[in-house]
Amino acid sequence: MVSIPSQDGLKICCIGAGYVGGPTMSMIALKCPEVQVKIVDISAARIDAWNSDNLPIYEPGLHKVVTACRGKNLFFSTDIDEAIQEADIIFVAVNTPTKKVGIGAGRASDLTYWELAARRIAQVAETPKIVVEKSTVPIKTAEAISAVLHGAGKTRFDVLSNPEFLAEGTAITDLDNPDRVLIGGQLDESGQKAMDTLADVYAHWVPRDRILLTNVWSSELSKLVANSFLAQRVSSINAISAVCEASGADVDEVARAVGMDTRIGPKFLKASVGFGGSCFQKDILNLVYLCESFGLPEVAHYFHQVVHMNDYQKERFVGRIIHGLYNTVTGKKIALLGFAFKKDTGDTRESASIDVCRRLIEEKAQVAIYDPKVEEEQVWMDLTYACKMDKTEVQKYVTLCPDALTACKDAHAMAVATEWDEFKELDFHQVYDTMTKPSFVFDGRNILDHATLREIGFVVYAIGKPLDPKLSTA
Ligand SMILES: NC(=O)C1=CN([C@@H]2O[C@H](COP(=O)(O)OP(=O)(O)OC[C@H]3O[C@@H](n4cnc5c(N)ncnc54)[C@H](O)[C@@H]3O)[C@@H](O)[C@H]2O)C=CC1
Ligand SMILES: O=C(O)[C@H]1O[C@H](OP(=O)(O)OP(=O)(O)OC[C@H]2O[C@@H](n3ccc(=O)[nH]c3=O)[C@H](O)[C@@H]2O)[C@H](O)[C@@H](O)[C@@H]1O
């Protein structure tokens, strides 16, 4: 058994109580009972929710971890200055969205929140701190942050990069058993000491050989590369799904055969309506922007294609619905099952459902949405933004339903956009009886039993599967 140096009295603070800050810090608190962990945020509503029974994010297993530590060595607060002053290690897990305006708009990372957090730290810190980049940031951000921190000239800061690799919906198991923990730092004595201190925190539960120490730039770049490679796999199999439909091959069979090659591996080869989530597109675009800035247009173009392919896949899915419904969906009711970007999360950021819904609204369809976890207000926010309409206008086309059966009642078609397990358990005989005839199913996740659906009487389209002869494609 490897011994871990005692970290009794160590104080950790995390700025940003979101999808990353909340779960990662809760796991540290759980695994390191002698360490005090304080998570702070500018949003009082978010902090109130973390202090309540109704946590601000849905993540399987999270509630149990939070309630085991909260009030003991895990605290949520809006007192950012106090938390900074007390802490030995300050994680920064604020949002780093794609820039909407200015130089690099639509591609580069918007580091406004990061810089504000860094300036706050520089202003109030009085004793040396280890500042950890937890947010995903462009390469060389640590250098800029270090300049901001040291600008105040009050104390010493060691800036580390420690990107997070958790996936939503499986955050707790990912954190409990990570493939690796990556820590990048300056390779001088102080930087090495800071890296060792952080490594000792993780060593409470992560085997040492899975804690990788490297230089800052490699660490920052590795995070963008990991997400770009993952997204690239999804776009690759989605591209092949179009070839399968054109040729009569079955994408799941192809993925199985290809994935059994141990050099390729079986994960992330599930064809879908398109990837979503707050990070894949943002991080690829960030990599594209960096490549352009480094004068590497061919590399930029190569990775940009991953995003283009994703847009193509979403549009292809909508096209199948429109052509399948005899070239018009105007006034037709479409049940959209799932609004989250994947199952087991209530997160809708960049969800394929948003684009599918926007396109159906443009075609003047009546869309009935059901998702087991997404908050109603979130759907309205997403759709008003995506469609550039006000809520009343969106509501002329969209209704939100309490369950899948209600969404499907009188619908011409059902479109599955999120792979929630409960959609597999629906009583499809009952669903069929309530739908307009002919009744269509568009399975954007390939989770349903298509043969049984066809036996019941549905006309079925599934991503990358041989086309149903009854499906109109003209
Ligand atoms: N969502 C995910 O699954 C993953 C996200 N990441 C990265 O982690 C970072 C955070 O992502 P999320 O947690 O999803 O974002 P989020 O939007 O859920 O949370 C960010 C939080 O930071 C707070 N905040 C912003 N500026 C602040 C400031 N100056 N002081 C105090 N609080 C401030 C916001 O109020 C918000 O609650 C991003 O860079 C993202 O790319 C990395 C791995 C996984
Ligand atoms: O930086 C981040 O934010 C995180 O991004 C992803 O995690 P996440 O977006 O939460 O979820 P994924 O499981 O990666 O799924 C992303 C999207 O791809 C889709 N997907 C995934 C896998 C697949 O085979 N097919 C497919 O369509 C999912 O449905 C989802 O829409 C990465 O998996 C995490 O390692 C990373 O930390």
Side-chain angles (χ1 to χ4, degrees), residues 337-349:
L337 300 195
F339 204 75
F341 80 95
K342 63 187 281 198
K343 74 171 181 177
D344 291 338
T345 178
D347 195 350
T348 62
R349 291 178 290 181

Side-chain angles (χ1 to χ4, degrees), residues 15-20 41-43 46 80 93-96 113 116-117 135-136 164 166 168 223 278-279 282 349:
I15 302 179
Y19 284 88
V20 167
D41 203 290
I42 38 172
S43 164
R46 221 163 198 189
I80 299 175
V94 299
N95 32 333
T96 51
Y113 303 106
L116 282 173
S135 305
T136 303
E164 183 49 59
L166 69 80
E168 287 178 32
K223 172 64 195 179
S278 63
C279 294
K282 157 177 91 66
R349 291 178 290 181

Side-chain angles (χ1 to χ4, degrees), residues 70-91:
R70 199 171 52 194
K72 293 179 190 146
N73 68 330
L74 176 65
F75 304 92
F76 296 91
S77 164
T78 49
D79 193 340
I80 299 175
D81 291 358
E82 184 189 71
I84 291 172
Q85 276 162 352
E86 288 173 357
D88 305 294
I89 303 178
I90 302 170
F91 286 85

Side-chain angles (χ1 to χ4, degrees), residues 263-278:
R263 293 169 302 175
I264 296 173
K267 294 182 183 168
F268 266 71
L269 288 180
K270 184 76 187 160
S272 66
V273 55
F275 62 73
S278 63

Side-chain angles (χ1 to χ4, degrees), residues 118-161:
R119 288 192 184 278
R120 196 77 218 146
I121 297 170
Q123 207 173 336
V124 301
E126 281 157 4
T127 51
K129 312 284 178 199
I130 297 171
V131 176
V132 184
E133 286 177 348
K134 199 57 165 160
S135 305
T136 303
V137 290
I139 184 167
K140 298 273 174 176
T141 300
E143 195 172 69
I145 293 303
S146 186
V148 169
L149 289 170
H150 287 110
K154 287 205 310 206
T155 185
R156 178 177 171 81
F157 298 97
D158 283 291
V159 181
L160 301 180
S161 158

Side-chain angles (χ1 to χ4, degrees), residues 30-84:
L30 183 75
K31 302 290 186 179
C32 312
E34 82 278 22
V35 175
Q36 179 194 289
V37 181
K38 199 177 265 185
I39 311 179
V40 291
D41 203 290
I42 38 172
S43 164
R46 221 163 198 189
I47 292 299
D48 286 347
W50 280 111
N51 280 320
S52 76
D53 252 353
N54 193 14
L55 301 184
I57 61 176
Y58 171 71
E59 195 61 64
L62 177 63
H63 193 266
K64 201 168 154 203
V65 175
V66 170
T67 46
C69 312
R70 199 171 52 194
K72 293 179 190 146
N73 68 330
L74 176 65
F75 304 92
F76 296 91
S77 164
T78 49
D79 193 340
I80 299 175
D81 291 358
E82 184 189 71
I84 291 172

